[in-house]
Amino acid sequence: MRFGKTLRESIYPPWKDQYIDYSKLKSMLREDRREDEDVPWTEDDENRFCDEIFNVQLEKVAQFQDKTFNGLKERADTAFEKLKDMAPSEEKPKSDITTARLKELKGELDTITNEVKELKKYSSANYTGFLKIAKKHDRKRGDRYKVRPMMRVSLAERGFNSEQGYSPLLTKLSLMYYAINQNLDDGEQYQPLNLDLETQQEVHNGERYTAHKYNLLEVKTAILRHLPSLIYTQQAGKEPDGNEDPKVTSLYFDNSKFQLYSRKVERQVDASSMRLRWYGSLNSKPDIVLEQKIVHENGLSEEKKFPIKAKYIKLFIDGEYKMEKTVQKMERQGQPAEAIESFKATVEEIQEFIVRAKLGPVLRANYIRTAFQKPSDDRVRISIDTNIAFIREDTLDRDRPCRDPEEWHRRDIDNGNMSYPFKNINQSEVSRFPYALLEIKLKEEGGRKRPRWIEDLMASHLVHAAPRFSKFVHGVASLFEDYVNNLPLWLSDLETDIRKDPQMAHDAEEQRKAQQAEDAMVVGSFLGGGAAAAAAKMGSYKPATSSPVGKSYLSERAAREAREAMASTPSTAVNRPGEEDAEDGSTQQRNYGTLSSVFPGFSLSRYSRAKRQREQLPEGVTKPEVWLKNAGPLQVEPKVWLANERTFLKWQHICILLGSLAISLYTAAGENFLAECMGIAYVIIAIMAGAWGYVMLRRRRDMIVERSGKDFDNMLGPLAVSAALMLALILNFVFSYRAAFAKLDGELFVNETEAAFISELV
């Protein structure tokens, strides 16, 4: 299929000059000039081509897409502000002027929505064009140069063909449509436009996510806390029997023009898919089910299916067998006539669809499925598919078909019991999906909310949203790229690392909830009665303790930038004017004579470590006079008071010990002047210890009552008492040492005098 024709047909006239110049790039590759085939492809030719595709065409498309999307976003924000201004109230009732303005605003929303759709088509067409031309380059010039890998990375970095960026805009448009339609008083109930890009919560289709292999075990353990694991039988995959998770095989149908794929990618009304599915190995004769899935305009899906034996599949596809034996068996079993007629109608509709569209097996999807569900309770069901591989099953190339045209499946795979990673087949016929696929199916009926743990899992860093992911679509896009002219949204995500930082994922979810609550409050102002109350309830969002919504983002950003600047600046750098004074003032205010005021790095408390990382507030941001933590009644745990009193008792214990020592020393001194002085010194130290313990008891009590953020540790008092006690002991030792030596010298002098006197007498 020629992509150039498809691109020309999909051009939106007002933007015709902003599309990729596919013809120019093909001419630079000499794609259609056979006379240039013998001319060698030089390095200069390669440089000119790469400069044109990356620096000219890609930049042109990327800049236009960003500019257009930002413009649409600004227009939607402006319309949202207008809607808020027109909200009726007691002072400002709704009037004809307001109704006319609402209709005018709705027309403006229609224009924005149409341009969003055209922008999505523009992005998809250019995304496919860049990949197509890169593949042509590598096929024609790939012996020396390859640009396709670099092109895929460049497209992924620029967010081409990604649905994630459109979701917030479409959600806001949908809310505005809902509010306007509910307020139009012309007697008609308008429905919001079908925003087919918006991620809807479809109970039947479920919500799909991808998970990195490094996070897979954590995802499973998070689910196992709430749901048991179902381990299937190898035959039907329905009853838990203690075996391992089954290998599931799905055989998808399409024709040579891939019409089912195109309708599904373009999200046309009543797009269908057809597949055969069985569990385990085909040699074990499992139950095979033929399924047709139809997605209707309202987003709901319809499934038609019936079991069929392997030996009848080829005959059924060719229209030669109409399940007569199964019908006869149902009649012999005495089943109701309505059930038999319903079965015959389903068989006839599916067979007619296969024959009319000339469908045949083209793709095999093979994977291991782990399911989590409470027995006999299908309100919450989660499945995780791993080891996903897609294999060609077509006969498009008549000379070298992947499958025998006389068979409905590949016998080399099924008879050989091949399994993942399928290394025994041609590697160009297999594509391995790099992540695990998680699908959450919920039945939200009767206003029952989804479990909180499900919401936490969906918003966590462990999974990455993959809205409308389809194994059939992904397999065809991966293996039949030359046969299709439109590629799915999620292909660009495969070129990026889907792992997320846990804190960033949490912050993004909190901001999303806050924005959703704000939008709900605006819509609630337009609604009356129970609808307004429900909207107000949706808008009563309270941010979590660690939520960034309640923080000053300007302060956080300034602090983060300051920390990065300090980390990259030498420690001897000079502070900016005024910064040193401000920091000194803050230090003096918080450190009430502690050792950390002399040695700032000495305090080891958690608060001190956090404080040393804190920076000054940016310009224009003032420190609040009343902190949120000080609001409300004072609630102090008893152990806090008891810990303060326990510290005071320890100090009094030291005071009593030192006092007892001092009094004993003083009373036993007698006429010894040195002992009296040391006794007095120890009394003074004991008094200091007792006074310090009482002062700190009162000060820490005041800090608890005031909810102060200051340090509770204070090492100045213990060091002062210890130093005084050590000094007294040293002086005591020195004075005692000198007194002992003086006494010894006196005794030696007396002995020498007596010896001289005795010698004189003799």
Side-chain angles (χ1 to χ4, degrees):
M1 300 177 69
R2 300 184 64 85
F3 175 74
K5 180 180 178 181
T6 304
L7 179 62
R8 290 192 296 271
E9 293 175 351
S10 62
I11 288 180
Y12 183 51
W15 302 342
K16 61 180 180 180
D17 296 331
Q18 304 299 331
Y19 285 78
I20 178 177
D21 197 339
Y22 193 75
S23 300
K24 180 179 181 180
L25 293 174
K26 283 182 62 177
S27 64
M28 293 182 69
L29 280 177
R30 307 169 190 167
E31 179 72 17
D32 299 328
R33 293 183 295 178
R34 298 189 178 276
E35 64 275 8
D36 294 339
E37 289 184 354
D38 297 332
V39 179
W41 182 262
T42 64
E43 185 175 352
D44 292 337
D45 295 332
E46 181 68 19
N47 290 336
R48 283 195 295 270
F49 177 80
C50 291
D51 180 72
E52 178 67 24
I53 191 173
F54 286 104
N55 299 332
V56 178
Q57 299 295 332
L58 185 58
E59 286 295 327
K60 176 184 70 175
V61 174
Q63 291 179 7
F64 177 78
Q65 176 175 285
D66 292 342
K67 178 182 177 181
T68 306
F69 179 78
N70 292 332
L72 292 173
K73 188 176 179 181
E74 291 178 0
R75 290 166 58 186
D77 292 340
T78 302
F80 194 74
E81 294 298 326
K82 291 181 181 178
L83 192 63
K84 291 168 63 176
D85 295 338
M86 288 187 289
S89 61
E90 296 180 357
E91 295 80 8
K92 186 179 61 175
K94 183 171 63 174
S95 62
D96 294 339
I97 299 178
T98 304
T99 302
R101 291 177 61 190
L102 284 174
K103 292 183 178 180
E104 180 182 353
L105 186 58
K106 183 179 179 181
E108 185 177 346
L109 293 182
D110 291 340
T111 303
I112 296 175
T113 304
N114 291 332
E115 290 193 17
V116 170
K117 291 182 179 180
E118 294 298 334
L119 183 62
K120 183 62 195 67
K121 294 178 182 178
Y122 168 88
S123 175
S124 179
N126 285 282
Y127 177 82
T128 305
F130 281 117
L131 289 181
K132 289 278 188 181
I133 198 65
K135 186 173 183 179
K136 286 181 180 293
H137 171 276
D138 290 359
R139 185 172 59 237
K140 195 175 183 66
R141 312 297 178 189
D143 53 341
R144 294 181 59 191
Y145 310 100
K146 289 186 179 297
V147 300
R148 184 177 172 83
M150 185 167 59
M151 175 58 69
R152 295 181 74 98
V153 173
S154 299
L155 292 175
E157 290 177 349
R158 295 174 180 274
F160 268 85
N161 214 31
S162 174
E163 189 169 355
Q164 301 298 324
Y166 291 90
S167 295
L169 174 59
L170 292 169
T171 301
K172 179 168 288 189
L173 289 173
S174 180
L175 285 172
M176 287 191 284
Y177 272 117
Y178 178 70
I180 292 175
N181 292 332
Q182 293 296 322
N183 272 267
L184 291 176
D185 56 351
D186 52 4
E188 298 182 9
Q189 292 294 328
Y190 294 95
Q191 297 294 331
L193 292 185
N194 181 21
L195 302 174
D196 59 352
L197 296 174
E198 184 179 0
T199 305
Q200 303 289 345
Q201 298 177 354
E202 299 171 357
V203 175
H204 298 276
N205 291 335
E207 300 182 18
R208 294 176 174 85
Y209 299 84
T210 53
H212 198 277
K213 59 181 180 180
Y214 294 141
N215 296 331
L216 187 57
L217 181 60
E218 191 173 354
V219 171
K220 289 184 177 181
T221 54
I223 299 173
L224 283 172
R225 297 175 187 271
H226 307 276
L227 294 177
S229 175
L230 292 181
I231 303 179
Y232 296 95
T233 63
Q234 294 296 324
Q235 290 293 327
K238 296 179 180 179
E239 301 296 335
D241 67 348
N243 293 331
E244 296 179 352
D245 294 333
K247 178 181 70 173
V248 185
T249 303
S250 296
L251 208 62
Y252 291 98
F253 287 65
D254 210 333
N255 52 30
S256 58
K257 296 182 180 180
F258 290 93
Q259 292 178 340
L260 298 188
Y261 167 86
S262 299
R263 291 176 61 87
K264 199 170 183 66
V265 172
E266 296 171 1
R267 297 167 188 166
Q268 298 183 12
V269 178
D270 296 339
S272 299
S273 61
M274 184 76 63
R275 71 177 178 183
L276 288 164
R277 184 172 66 173
W278 66 90
Y279 292 83
S281 173
L282 194 61
N283 290 335
S284 61
K285 297 182 179 180
D287 294 337
I288 303 176
V289 179
L290 180 60
E291 302 177 348
Q292 181 186 10
K293 186 175 182 179
I294 306 173
V295 180
H296 296 293
E297 185 177 3
N298 57 3
L300 299 179
S301 62
E302 176 188 1
E303 288 188 358
K304 302 177 181 179
K305 59 183 179 181
F306 61 88
I308 184 172
K309 293 185 177 181
K311 60 182 179 181
Y312 298 131
I313 293 178
K314 179 62 178 175
L315 296 175
F316 182 84
I317 294 175
D318 295 338
E320 300 175 2
Y321 177 69
K322 300 183 181 298
M323 303 297 295
E324 294 91 348
K325 293 186 177 182
T326 304
V327 174
Q328 294 173 4
K329 182 178 179 180
M330 295 174 66
E331 292 175 348
R332 288 196 302 269
Q333 293 175 348
Q335 296 191 18
E338 294 81 2
I340 297 176
E341 291 299 326
S342 176
F343 177 80
K344 293 171 64 176
T346 300
V347 170
E348 183 178 355
E349 291 175 2
I350 292 179
Q351 188 174 54
E352 181 184 0
F353 179 70
I354 293 176
V355 174
R356 184 179 69 253
K358 298 180 180 180
L359 302 180
V362 296
L363 175 71
R364 176 189 297 244
N366 188 278
Y367 48 92
I368 302 295
R369 168 158 290 184
T370 305
F372 302 88
Q373 179 183 336
K374 293 180 180 180
S376 303
D377 186 358
D378 61 348
R379 289 179 298 177
V380 180
R381 176 184 173 87
I382 300 178
S383 62
I384 299 178
D385 298 337
T386 56
N387 294 347
I388 304 175
F390 302 99
I391 305 171
R392 290 186 61 165
E393 199 91 12
D394 62 283
T395 58
L396 297 177
D397 188 347
R398 297 296 180 181
D399 297 330
R400 300 179 61 184
C402 299
R403 166 180 56 85
D404 185 355
E406 300 300 323
E407 299 288 342
W408 61 272
H409 66 105
R410 290 184 61 159
R411 288 190 172 273
D412 58 336
I413 296 177
D414 294 321
N415 293 344
N417 288 327
M418 295 185 187
S419 59
Y420 189 88
F422 299 97
K423 293 184 178 180
N424 296 330
I425 63 176
N426 188 345
Q427 294 303 294
S428 64
E429 298 175 357
V430 60
S431 174
R432 301 172 186 86
F433 191 67
Y435 306 122
L437 183 63
L438 180 138
E439 183 174 8
I440 302 175
K441 293 185 177 181
L442 303 172
K443 280 191 174 181
E444 301 173 352
E445 51 188 10
R448 181 176 178 270
K449 293 184 178 180
R450 64 178 61 181
R452 177 63 182 272
W453 68 272
I454 290 286
E455 294 184 351
D456 293 340
L457 177 62
M458 294 164 61
S460 71
H461 67 286
L462 301 175
V463 297
H464 179 77
R468 293 188 175 85
F469 182 90
S470 167
K471 295 187 183 73
F472 167 59
V473 171
H474 183 83
V476 172
S478 301
L479 296 173
F480 299 93
E481 187 176 339
D482 292 338
Y483 295 87
V484 297
N485 291 328
N486 200 356
L487 300 177
L489 300 171
W490 56 81
L491 277 185
S492 58
D493 292 338
L494 301 182
E495 306 300 325
T496 59
D497 191 350
I498 64 172
R499 289 174 291 183
K500 310 172 188 175
D501 179 76
Q503 185 62 40
M504 293 178 62
H506 172 73
D507 294 349
E509 178 63 14
E510 288 293 323
Q511 293 187 34
R512 186 192 67 81
K513 290 181 179 178
Q515 184 62 43
Q516 183 181 12
E518 180 184 352
D519 295 343
M521 291 299 295
V522 174
V523 174
S525 65
F526 281 83
L527 306 177
K537 185 176 181 181
M538 289 179 57
S540 59
Y541 164 71
K542 295 182 179 180
T545 304
S546 58
S547 172
V549 177
K551 299 179 181 178
S552 171
Y553 286 97
L554 185 59
S555 175
E556 291 291 329
R557 185 179 66 180
R560 183 171 60 253
E561 293 175 352
R563 284 195 297 269
E564 294 175 355
M566 288 187 63
S568 60
T569 305
S571 58
T572 57
V574 180
N575 292 336
R576 293 188 297 270
E579 186 174 338
E580 184 176 355
D581 297 337
E583 187 161 348
D584 289 343
S586 176
T587 303
Q588 292 175 4
Q589 180 182 1
R590 290 187 174 273
N591 298 327
Y592 44 89
T594 64
L595 188 65
S596 59
S597 63
V598 182
F599 303 105
F602 200 87
S603 179
L604 302 178
S605 68
R606 181 183 301 176
Y607 173 77
S608 298
R609 292 196 300 270
K611 181 184 65 177
R612 288 195 292 270
Q613 297 178 355
R614 191 173 301 148
E615 300 298 332
Q616 300 301 314
L617 294 174
E619 184 179 356
V621 179
T622 59
K623 183 179 178 181
E625 297 179 356
V626 179
W627 298 92
L628 291 177
K629 64 183 182 64
N630 295 335
L634 177 64
Q635 295 180 353
V636 181
E637 296 184 5
K639 63 180 181 180
V640 178
W641 300 109
L642 296 177
N644 189 26
E645 293 179 359
R646 201 161 46 241
T647 306
F648 170 71
L649 294 176
K650 287 289 185 181
W651 277 106
Q652 300 311 305
H653 181 67
I654 295 174
C655 174
I656 293 173
L657 288 178
L658 291 177
S660 301
L661 175 63
I663 294 174
S664 300
L665 183 62
Y666 184 80
T667 55
E671 299 296 333
N672 192 332
F673 178 74
L674 176 61
E676 292 179 356
C677 292
M678 297 310 301
I680 295 174
Y682 284 126
V683 170
I684 295 175
I685 295 174
I687 295 174
M688 288 175 54
W692 179 264
Y694 179 77
V695 170
M696 293 309 300
L697 172 69
R698 302 298 302 178
R699 179 164 293 183
R700 286 174 177 150
R701 181 186 179 279
D702 294 339
M703 291 170 60
I704 294 172
V705 173
E706 295 173 359
R707 309 181 193 183
S708 174
K710 300 177 183 178
D711 288 338
F712 280 85
D713 59 333
N714 196 318
M715 302 182 68
L716 185 59
L719 286 178
V721 173
S722 300
L725 185 59
M726 185 64 68
L727 180 61
L729 291 174
I730 293 174
L731 292 177
N732 188 14
F733 175 77
V734 172
F735 293 152
S736 299
Y737 179 82
R738 292 178 61 183
F741 269 92
K743 184 178 181 180
L744 181 61
D745 291 340
E747 291 178 355
L748 290 176
F749 176 76
V750 171
N751 292 336
E752 291 177 357
T753 304
E754 290 179 353
F757 179 73
I758 293 172
S759 64
E760 289 288 341
L761 292 177
V762 175

